[in-house]
Amino acid sequence: MKADLTKRVEVSGVEKIAETLRRAIFKGAFLPGDQLKEVALSRSLGVSRGSVREALRILSTEELVVHLPNRGASVRKLSLDEIDDIFLTRHILEIKACECIPTASEHLLRALEDCTCAYESVANQDDPVVIANAHINYHKSLVGLTGSLKLAELEESLMQALQVIIACIENDRDDTQKEVANHRRMTEMVLAGDVKGAKKWVDDYIPNGKDFVIAQIRSQEQEPRLGRG
């Protein structure tokens, strides 16, 4: 698939090339499964092929890009089994977080409130990358209520595995404010010590989220382009 990267960019290093490609992926210029051809990208960006190769390696460490034999680099595409596993694990982690609400420290509760405010503050931005990152940070802080850094980091890694599709969803959806308000409602239940309500939120949110992601993937497969570019 061709992406509109004809506008030349000022690039002074591999990191900037990686950022340009990262934003192109998050904006939907490249969809999961699309090949990222070094020659075409180097011409579009006005940089060397070697620099593009190094940038793609950076994105592969972020699990945005995979390198396949005889195909080169492509945007990572999750299988339905992988998506099922990710959401199952997230459900377990977030229910555990709800169970820890009564014993969560003031510091951890404040961190959740701060992440909620950060999510709210970017809701009106026309930047799916920023919104997706705020969303990921919210759920990391939610699992952080367990007091376990390892569990919080696991939640973050699971969300990062979904980050391309999350960003594409944020880029395409018209209900971001509603989604943010839903997370605010969860935060208020946590701060009120409403364990039962918080668990109900997770029980509803995780399956709905999985269904939404799967529907979005199927929509991508049927339509040439999802994002606004």
Side-chain angles (χ1 to χ4, degrees), residues 87 90-91 169 173 179 182 185 200-216:
F87 278 94
R90 285 188 57 206
H91 186 267
I169 289 171
R173 74 190 309 163
E179 180 70 4
N182 188 32
R185 187 168 63 87
K200 176 65 166 54
W201 187 92
V202 172
D203 284 337
D204 291 339
Y205 180 81
I206 293 295
N208 288 340
K210 184 179 79 170
D211 290 345
F212 194 70
V213 165
I214 292 173
Q216 202 74 11

Side-chain angles (χ1 to χ4, degrees), residues 14-195:
V14 172
E15 287 286 349
K16 287 191 175 181
I17 301 172
E19 176 62 17
T20 298
L21 294 176
R22 186 183 297 111
R23 287 192 170 274
I25 292 170
F26 281 5
K27 285 280 189 178
F30 297 105
L31 298 180
D34 281 359
Q35 285 186 276
L36 300 169
K37 298 180 179 179
E38 293 176 6
V39 173
L41 291 173
S42 66
R43 289 173 180 169
S44 295
L45 298 172
V47 298
S48 72
R49 184 175 177 181
S51 295
V52 170
R53 186 179 302 117
E54 289 301 314
L56 291 175
R57 286 177 182 167
I58 292 174
L59 299 183
S60 69
T61 66
E62 299 172 6
E63 300 189 29
L64 288 175
V65 169
V66 294
H67 288 83
L68 301 175
N70 303 318
R71 287 201 61 193
S74 62
V75 181
R76 185 182 181 188
K77 183 177 183 179
L78 295 171
S79 69
L80 293 182
D81 285 343
E82 287 176 310
I83 291 171
D84 279 339
D85 195 28
I86 287 171
F87 278 94
L88 172 61
T89 307
R90 285 188 57 206
H91 186 267
I92 293 170
L93 291 173
E94 295 191 17
I95 286 294
K96 180 61 179 177
C98 294
E99 293 171 350
C100 293
I101 290 173
T103 57
S105 69
E106 185 63 30
H107 171 73
L108 295 175
L109 293 171
R110 187 166 59 252
L112 179 64
E113 171 63 20
D114 289 345
C115 285
T116 306
C117 291
Y119 195 13
E120 291 170 332
S121 71
V122 301
N124 290 322
Q125 291 191 24
D126 186 23
D127 191 334
V129 180
V130 171
I131 296 173
N133 285 337
H135 187 192
I136 291 171
N137 287 335
Y138 177 90
H139 285 274
K140 180 182 180 181
S141 67
L142 177 61
V143 174
L145 296 176
T146 62
S148 169
L149 179 60
K150 292 292 185 183
L151 292 182
E153 289 176 343
L154 175 57
E155 173 81 356
E156 181 181 33
S157 70
L158 293 170
M159 293 286 288
Q160 286 176 338
L162 294 166
Q163 63 183 322
V164 174
I165 188 64
I166 289 173
C168 286
I169 289 171
E170 298 293 359
N171 191 50
D172 197 52
R173 74 190 309 163
D174 57 6
D175 65 341
T176 300
Q177 288 285 356
K178 181 179 178 181
E179 180 70 4
V180 172
N182 188 32
H183 285 66
R184 165 55 69 182
R185 187 168 63 87
M186 174 58 164
T187 299
E188 294 302 326
M189 286 188 287
V190 170
L191 297 178
D194 184 0
V195 175

